[in-house]
């Protein structure tokens, strides 16, 4: 297929309620959507980075810059037989995984549509019942958190992740365990602790957590291996894993017993498939992380979660937890048993609500291949 045109759009979507992590609070999402056009078809994707460089270096504005000035020009007018050829076209770009992922993932969606296959089957997925968990942010009070957990447990979600940070950890976990002694519970620190906190982190062992996600530096693997040797709780890496080599290094060093794969953070489907295969071979289970995605990114996450080694409940939950109205139809729903069923329609598997997207768009640009490009 030839990439004839790419539309970059920025949409603004207010979250139904604020989401707070150890690095800050988000109320309104600024999301970049990509529409890649070829042969009368469109492939859609989303850049999954945040608004500020606090989770990783990428932001909505750096993504727009890299897309406009580098990533899109590198693929415009180019032909591909398979979307796994797209990463090589952008190989000069260092970092900016989430930005590159959007370009590649739109091509996967496009080709799945052309093949008349749902994206999840097109990437080689096979799971038809996806276990769901939720990620619950830091709240104004422990009471608010207990109430939120109660709501999600009642809705059927299979595992609860809470965000933690120094000062919002032991006391909070104690209360949560008092109210919910038997739930599958985990904590995500988003790199809020240091080597000075090993004894403190070891004290979390008493809470029987399913895992502790990225407690140390966002770019660290080695010190997590030292920590994993000292605590009983399984360490799960998120921020530190960008490609299959990182995953292999983490596994060889014993830095984690579980890996969170985020499709954007690893740079797109081609890389995600490699990370998946490395973990599967090593017997390390994985789950799909979330980045407060709109329905388009959510649909891509659902597709990835159908790969065989995604055995643990992911952070991909119902649209209505985030948005008053999502930009896909139907919205993502989760059963009372905490299950998402992947769609059967071709490509994304959901209709893209282009009218609503237009209303939410604050900026857009279409880049077209010149007639002479190969
Ligand atoms: O660390 O998993 C994370 C949201 C933004 C940035 C980082 C993370 C998260 C979440 C939310 O935990 C997952 C979601 O509900 O989309
Ligand atoms: Mg995380």
């Amino acid at each position: 297929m030839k990439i004839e045109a790419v539309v970059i759009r920025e949409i603004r979507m207010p979250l139904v309620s604020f989401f707070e992590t150890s690095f800050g609070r988000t109320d309104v999402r600024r999301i970049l959507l990509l529409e890649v056009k070829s042969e009368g078809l469109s492939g859609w994707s989303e850049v999954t980075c945040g608004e500020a460089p606090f989770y990783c270096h990428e932001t909505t504005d750096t993504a727009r810059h890299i897309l406009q000035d580098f990533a899109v020009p590198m693929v415009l007018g180019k032909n591909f037989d398979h979307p796994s050829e797209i990463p090589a076209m952008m190989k000069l770009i260092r970092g900016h995984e989430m930005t590159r992922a959007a370009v590649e993932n739109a091509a996967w969606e496009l080709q799945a549509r052309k093949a008349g296959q749902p994206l999840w089957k097109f990437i080689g997925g096979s799971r038809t019942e996806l276990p769901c968990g939720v990620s619950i942010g830091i709240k104004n009070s422990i009471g608010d958190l207990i109430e939120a957990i109660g709501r999600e447990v009642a809705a059927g979600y299979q595992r609860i992740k809470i965000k933690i940070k120094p000062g919002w950890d032991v006391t909070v976990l104690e209360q949560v365990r008092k109210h919910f002694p038997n739930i599958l519970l985990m904590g995500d620190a988003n790199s809020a602790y240091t080597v000075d906190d090993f004894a403190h982190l070891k004290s979390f062992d008493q809470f029987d957590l399913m895992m502790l996600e990225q407690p140390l530096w966002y770019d660290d693997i080695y010190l997590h291996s030292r920590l994993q040797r000292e605590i009983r709780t399984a360490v799960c890496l998120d921020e530190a894993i960008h490609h299959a080599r990182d995953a292999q290094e983490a596994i060889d060093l014993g830095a984690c017993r579980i890996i969170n794969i985020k499709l954007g953070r690893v740079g797109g489907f081609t890389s995600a498939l490699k990370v998946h295969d490395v973990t599967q071979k090593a017997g390390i289970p994985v789950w799909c992380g979330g980045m407060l995605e709109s329905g388009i990114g959510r649909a891509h996450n659902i597709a990835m979660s159908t790969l065989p080694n995604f055995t643990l409940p992911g952070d991909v939950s119902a649209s209505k937890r985030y948005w008053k109205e999502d930009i896909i139809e139907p919205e993502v729903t989760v059963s009372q048993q905490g299950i998402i069923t992947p769609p059967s329609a071709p490509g994304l598997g959901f209709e893209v609500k282009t009218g609503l997207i237009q209303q939410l768009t604050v900026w857009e640009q279409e880049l077209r291949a010149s007639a002479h490009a190969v």
Side-chain angles (χ1 to χ4, degrees), residues 93-356:
I93 301 175
R94 296 188 178 177
H96 300 282
E97 289 85 359
M98 294 175 175
T99 304
R100 289 187 278 117
V103 174
E104 185 196 336
N105 295 346
W108 281 86
E109 209 264 298
L110 181 65
Q111 191 139 22
R113 264 182 215 268
K114 186 179 170 181
Q117 254 193 334
L119 181 58
W120 64 274
K121 284 193 182 158
F122 186 69
I123 66 163
S126 56
R127 308 181 72 90
T128 54
E129 294 194 339
L130 314 177
C132 299
V134 285
S135 173
I136 303 180
I138 293 166
K139 301 290 185 189
N140 289 328
S141 68
I142 297 184
D144 284 0
L145 177 66
I146 300 296
E147 201 181 296
I149 296 175
R151 239 188 345 263
E152 306 297 7
V153 169
Y157 286 102
Q158 297 186 14
R159 105 37 196 122
I160 302 293
K161 158 168 140 183
I162 65 167
K163 292 292 190 177
I164 55 170
K165 65 175 183 180
W168 181 268
D169 51 20
V170 174
T171 328
V172 173
L173 288 165
E174 252 164 26
Q175 287 303 310
V176 172
R177 266 304 180 219
K178 207 167 104 194
H179 286 82
F180 306 97
N182 299 317
I183 57 169
L184 290 180
L185 179 67
M186 60 175 286
D188 184 358
N190 289 111
S191 310
Y193 299 93
T194 74
V195 272
D196 298 331
D197 300 312
F198 277 22
H200 179 62
L201 294 171
K202 181 157 179 54
S203 77
F204 296 3
D205 280 349
Q206 65 184 300
F207 301 117
D208 202 17
L209 301 180
M210 199 181 182
M211 68 193 93
L212 180 58
E213 189 178 344
Q214 196 79 32
L216 308 175
W217 294 267
Y218 73 96
D219 58 352
D220 172 77
I221 293 177
Y222 170 66
L223 291 168
H224 281 94
S225 78
R226 298 237 320 247
L227 176 67
Q228 182 66 95
R229 278 197 284 280
E230 289 187 28
I231 65 175
R232 192 165 48 79
T233 306
V235 170
C236 169
L237 290 179
D238 170 356
E239 282 90 331
I241 306 296
H242 298 281
H243 39 63
R245 288 177 291 105
D246 283 335
Q248 193 65 61
E249 179 181 337
I251 292 165
D252 290 352
L253 286 174
C256 60
R257 296 206 281 263
I258 297 171
I259 288 177
N260 158 342
I261 304 184
K262 287 183 181 166
L263 183 55
R265 195 198 66 228
V266 300
F269 277 114
T270 304
S271 170
L273 286 162
K274 288 182 188 158
V275 176
H276 170 271
D277 293 351
V278 160
T279 57
Q280 187 178 38
K281 205 162 166 195
I284 297 284
V286 300
W287 52 278
C288 178
M291 289 294 292
L292 310 174
E293 287 93 343
S294 79
I296 290 175
R298 202 164 293 280
H300 283 263
N301 286 342
I302 289 172
M304 183 175 74
S305 305
T306 66
L307 295 170
N309 199 35
F310 281 78
T311 55
L312 300 174
D315 272 351
V316 184
S317 57
S319 297
K320 67 175 182 198
R321 294 189 62 249
Y322 305 84
W323 319 114
K324 212 168 110 207
E325 185 181 0
D326 204 345
I327 58 173
I328 56 166
E329 178 75 36
E331 302 204 334
V332 173
T333 54
V334 174
S335 78
Q336 193 56 45
Q337 287 68 45
I339 297 284
I340 289 179
T341 306
S344 51
L348 205 62
F350 299 83
E351 287 300 327
V352 175
K353 290 189 187 173
T354 49
L356 177 59

